[in-house]
Amino acid sequence: MTIQNFDKFVDKTLVKQGKETFEKGKVSSLEELEDGLWVASVEGATTYEVEILLYKNTIRETSCSCEHKKKGVCSHMVAAFFAIEAKKQQEATKGKQGVKGKKDNLKTLLEKISRTELEEFIKIYITKNKVFKSDFELYFIDKNENNDFEKKIAEIIEQSIKPRYRGGEPQNLPDLNKEIKKHLKTINTYIGNSNYRDAFIFAKCLFVKLHEIIVKSSYLINTFINNTNKVLDIIIFLAEDERVPLSLKEVLFPFILEQIVKNAELYEDYYDNKLPQTGRKLSITLQKEEDYLQAIDKVLDKNKILGSIRRFYTIEKIKLLSQLGKQKEVDKVIGKNIAHPFFRRMKVDMLIERKDYKAAKTCLKEGITELKQRFGTENIVREWEELLLQIAKEEGDFDTMQEYYKKFAFYGDGDSQYYDHWRSTYTAEEWEKVIGEEIKKQETYYKEQKKRLSAYRNVAAISPILFLIYQKEDMHEALWEKVKSTDIPTTLHYLNYLKKYYAIEIMDKLCKEVIDFAENANYRIEYERIASYIRKMLDDASEEKEKIIKLVEKLKQRNKKRYSFVQILNEIIIEYKI
């Protein structure tokens, strides 16, 4: 969808509403902030802020502050589409001569105006327009020696933002973002001139104000948050760049700590936790690690710091203590947080690195016991049990290796690789006895299951573990005897193995059952399932292609009025060139 043909893709009602809004002049503050990024304000029940990202006129992303979007597009966006298209057409028709003429006219006008007239105009306009006043003062701030720079900067920022921010909510985000970009340009000019002190003061004041808006506002477009991040990146640059004097970093460091303590819970959501990491690095540079640790402790003492935020700051503390070589304190912090699986795993990794396998095993087993009492921790338990297996391999503990190889071999529907590892821990004579006992155990369970199922419905019993053992021990007769009474998916699962012994029987079974299933299929999802069965047959038994082709043709013939089913079958014919 492009800015020229969007009306072909958007609901006609929305196009009509958006066009009316545009034609009534309700789209304002339209501007291309960056290459392809357009912003605008659209009047409706209230003023809505719209963002549109274009790439060579193709509409890539859109957003609007309204709550009535339809499939990602609303009438306010459509109005903005029309406005952008109109502006692009207007710019395309402008001649270079016209532009040059305007520049010449302005130059001629300035030459005709006297210094006194220009000064009088500036004095009058400054009293009428606060934004112009702040821009003027900012541009010539280095000429005024009789002011408190930080106080003046704060006033200028306030004057430029206040008209666009009332009642705790931004009133005109596009204009607000324009002002922020002006300020960013000024800050970067200071940095380009190696005026790091003023760059920091300006960035500090601007970040504090923008962050205040983020905290109080219920809605903000991404451009505003991205611009705030750019201000923060400047502060981080000043904290980390080698060209910035240490004396300035000494001033910058307390500000960073103050922001961390005040806004810890917000840095993850809006700023990717960049500032705390910079604070840790700077504390080492300035040899003020204790100050940083005290700030982290203040954060962790807050009751509202929970979950991933608490984990992040705890990790920050551990990282700094580790860099300082304070291992006892690291152990103490981890021990205090050992109930969290992340920190228990951290302790285990440290113990394994020290080759203290006994303590690592104890720590893991205690953790597994605790986790089994919680819901949804199965994956972590499995991961830790695999760690116990790795430790057993390091120690040559065959009993534990056999225990976990068997457990993982029989996990879920069975694991062939772990089964092979389990078998490799026994001699041939030992294995014959072990697997014989296991088969008896699994067959007893299978018979009980079959009896239980047949008592109230005609369902075939399936035992993935017993079937895996039959397959791995090449007991094909026992496997086929049980598989031939199962459903299509189970039969297909063992097709690749059983076709070596029962090619005709297993293919006949599958073809008959697929046709029977198709007889009662009425929905596309069922047709797709049948197609997946046929694909599996072609993949695992390609030598039976002729028989499968006949199956597909028979299905097409019997279901010729089911157009979507026939279409799906034709896709298989094309895909497999049959």
Side-chain angles (χ1 to χ4, degrees):
M1 183 169 76
T2 68
I3 204 68
Q4 288 83 19
N5 69 1
F6 65 86
D7 54 326
K8 296 178 182 178
F9 297 90
V10 179
D11 182 80
K12 291 181 180 178
T13 304
L14 290 176
V15 173
K16 184 179 178 182
Q17 292 172 348
K19 190 172 184 180
E20 288 176 358
T21 301
F22 165 66
E23 289 175 346
K24 289 177 180 178
K26 294 185 176 182
V27 180
S28 61
S29 302
L30 179 68
E31 184 185 6
E32 188 175 15
L33 287 182
E34 298 171 12
D35 187 24
L37 179 61
W38 292 79
V39 293
S41 298
V42 181
E43 292 295 324
T46 183
T47 301
Y48 300 106
E49 309 300 339
V50 176
E51 270 192 12
I52 296 161
L53 180 63
L54 301 180
Y55 177 73
K56 295 182 179 179
N57 287 334
T58 299
I59 299 169
R60 286 291 178 85
E61 293 180 25
T62 59
S63 71
C64 179
S65 58
C66 76
E67 299 176 354
H68 305 288
K69 298 178 188 176
K70 290 185 178 180
K71 296 182 179 178
V73 177
C74 63
S75 62
H76 313 112
M77 292 179 191
V78 175
F81 293 164
F82 278 112
I84 294 169
E85 184 183 17
K87 188 163 186 177
K88 281 180 170 288
Q89 288 177 353
Q90 185 182 16
E91 289 173 352
T93 56
K94 277 185 180 178
K96 292 182 180 179
Q97 188 61 41
V99 175
K100 184 175 182 295
K102 284 186 178 180
K103 289 180 180 176
D104 289 344
N105 289 339
L106 180 61
K107 183 179 178 182
T108 303
L109 179 62
L110 287 171
E111 287 173 352
K112 291 179 179 179
I113 297 171
S114 68
R115 178 188 175 102
T116 305
E117 287 174 322
L118 191 58
E119 287 178 356
E120 188 65 27
F121 169 78
I122 292 170
K123 289 175 184 177
I124 293 170
Y125 201 63
I126 276 177
T127 61
K128 290 182 178 180
N129 192 312
K130 291 182 180 179
V131 174
F132 174 74
K133 181 176 183 287
S134 66
D135 285 347
F136 186 83
E137 289 176 329
L138 179 61
Y139 191 84
F140 295 105
I141 196 166
D142 57 327
K143 307 291 184 184
N144 187 355
E145 297 175 359
N146 300 316
N147 66 53
D148 180 332
F149 185 80
E150 183 168 343
K151 183 180 178 183
K152 196 64 186 174
I153 287 296
E155 288 174 0
I156 289 170
I157 291 169
E158 183 67 27
Q159 288 170 6
S160 65
I161 288 176
K162 192 174 181 180
R164 302 165 179 86
Y165 178 74
R166 294 189 299 274
E169 294 290 340
Q171 300 300 309
N172 190 328
L173 277 170
D175 276 3
L176 187 55
N177 281 314
K178 279 164 57 177
E179 292 302 315
I180 297 169
K181 286 178 75 69
K182 284 183 190 175
H183 294 325
L184 281 166
K185 188 175 180 181
T186 303
I187 296 168
N188 283 317
T189 300
Y190 286 143
I191 291 173
N193 294 329
S194 299
N195 186 354
Y196 301 121
R197 172 191 165 276
D198 290 350
F200 166 61
I201 292 171
F202 206 138
K204 177 182 76 169
C205 294
L206 184 57
F207 177 75
V208 169
K209 185 62 184 178
L210 299 183
H211 182 72
E212 176 190 323
I213 294 173
I214 286 175
V215 172
K216 292 181 179 179
S217 299
S218 59
Y219 174 82
L220 289 166
I221 56 177
N222 290 335
T223 305
F224 183 87
I225 295 171
N226 291 341
N227 283 334
T228 307
N229 264 288
K230 287 177 183 178
V231 180
L232 182 61
D233 288 339
I234 288 172
I235 294 171
I236 290 170
F237 162 78
L238 294 169
E240 296 181 353
D241 195 272
E242 292 179 356
R243 291 169 294 180
V244 178
L246 283 177
S247 57
L248 178 59
K249 293 182 179 183
E250 292 273 3
V251 176
L252 202 153
F253 185 59
F255 170 75
I256 291 177
L257 296 188
E258 179 190 6
Q259 291 302 308
I260 290 171
V261 175
K262 282 174 64 177
N263 304 296
E265 62 274 19
L266 296 171
Y267 278 100
E268 182 179 52
D269 292 337
Y270 295 108
Y271 313 121
D272 297 327
N273 284 322
K274 292 183 286 190
L275 201 59
Q277 294 168 346
T278 296
R280 172 168 51 83
K281 294 174 187 174
L282 188 55
S283 73
I284 295 171
T285 302
L286 300 175
Q287 296 184 340
K288 292 191 174 184
E289 298 90 349
E290 287 302 320
D291 291 350
Y292 182 78
L293 290 171
Q294 286 174 17
I296 295 298
D297 284 338
K298 287 179 183 177
V299 171
L300 293 173
D301 286 342
K302 293 182 179 181
N303 293 328
K304 61 182 177 180
I305 299 296
L306 302 168
S308 61
I309 302 173
R310 175 167 289 277
R311 184 176 73 178
F312 171 80
Y313 284 99
T314 305
I315 292 169
E316 277 295 301
K317 184 174 183 178
I318 290 170
K319 282 181 179 177
L320 183 53
L321 289 171
S322 297
Q323 287 175 293
L324 297 174
K326 297 184 177 183
Q327 193 56 48
K328 287 184 178 179
E329 291 187 43
V330 169
D331 292 342
K332 187 177 178 181
V333 174
I334 293 174
K336 187 178 178 180
N337 294 275
I338 200 71
H340 193 293
F342 180 88
F343 295 105
R344 185 177 290 273
R345 175 61 192 265
M346 185 181 282
K347 180 178 180 179
V348 168
D349 289 342
M350 289 166 58
L351 291 169
I352 290 174
E353 190 175 344
R354 298 175 201 164
K355 297 192 181 299
D356 189 349
Y357 296 131
K358 184 177 179 181
K361 287 190 292 185
T362 301
C363 190
L364 281 169
K365 287 175 182 177
E366 288 173 353
I368 289 170
T369 302
E370 289 179 15
L371 285 175
K372 284 182 176 179
Q373 297 172 17
R374 304 184 202 173
F375 178 75
T377 58
E378 295 83 2
N379 290 339
I380 302 175
V381 170
R382 170 68 188 261
E383 179 187 323
W384 289 2
E385 287 177 336
E386 286 179 345
L387 266 179
L388 285 170
L389 174 58
Q390 291 301 318
I391 293 171
K393 288 162 73 174
E394 287 289 331
E395 294 182 317
D397 181 354
F398 274 87
D399 289 341
T400 302
M401 288 166 64
Q402 288 169 352
E403 175 191 348
Y404 283 111
Y405 279 144
K406 178 182 177 180
K407 184 171 186 175
F408 299 151
F410 290 173
Y411 186 81
D413 290 341
D415 187 302
S416 178
Q417 189 174 2
Y418 275 113
Y419 187 96
D420 292 337
H421 287 315
W422 177 39
R423 182 166 52 191
S424 69
T425 60
Y426 295 94
T427 64
E429 187 177 340
E430 289 171 336
W431 179 249
E432 186 176 351
K433 181 180 178 182
V434 168
I435 201 61
E437 291 175 357
E438 190 59 43
I439 289 170
K440 286 179 184 177
K441 178 182 171 183
Q442 293 293 337
E443 284 181 337
T444 300
Y445 172 75
Y446 173 80
K447 288 173 184 175
E448 290 173 355
Q449 183 189 28
K450 186 175 181 181
K451 184 178 178 181
R452 189 167 59 252
L453 288 171
S454 61
Y456 61 95
R457 57 179 180 168
N458 185 25
V459 178
I462 299 171
S463 177
I465 303 307
L466 179 60
F467 293 2
L468 172 67
I469 294 173
Y470 285 159
Q471 184 176 347
K472 298 298 291 184
E473 301 305 317
D474 205 21
M475 299 172 66
H476 55 84
E477 290 180 359
L479 179 59
W480 174 241
E481 187 61 32
K482 291 177 173 58
V483 166
K484 66 184 180 182
S485 61
T486 61
D487 56 10
I488 298 172
T490 304
T491 307
L492 283 169
H493 184 74
Y494 299 100
L495 171 61
N496 197 41
Y497 170 70
L498 288 172
K499 70 180 183 181
K500 294 182 287 184
Y501 308 100
Y502 307 100
I504 296 173
E505 294 92 332
I506 197 167
M507 289 305 297
D508 287 348
K509 174 185 184 303
L510 286 169
C511 289
K512 179 182 181 303
E513 290 179 0
V514 167
I515 290 171
D516 291 344
F517 183 81
E519 287 295 319
N520 299 304
N522 295 297
Y523 301 101
R524 186 175 184 88
I525 191 170
E526 294 173 313
Y527 303 152
E528 294 284 5
R529 191 181 305 165
I530 293 167
S532 71
Y533 295 158
I534 295 170
R535 285 189 172 92
K536 179 70 172 170
M537 292 165 68
L538 285 164
D539 290 338
D540 287 0
S542 56
E543 64 275 16
E544 299 292 337
K545 184 183 275 190
E546 291 302 318
K547 189 173 284 190
I548 300 169
I549 291 172
K550 289 179 182 178
L551 168 64
V552 173
E553 292 300 331
K554 187 178 286 187
L555 288 170
K556 285 179 65 178
Q557 185 63 32
R558 290 191 178 191
N559 299 276
K560 59 176 72 173
K561 291 186 179 180
R562 296 175 177 175
Y563 301 112
S564 60
F565 189 19
V566 172
Q567 182 185 15
I568 289 168
L569 293 171
N570 284 333
E571 288 172 2
I572 294 174
I573 291 171
I574 295 168
E575 183 181 343
Y576 286 87
K577 299 177 181 179
I578 60 176

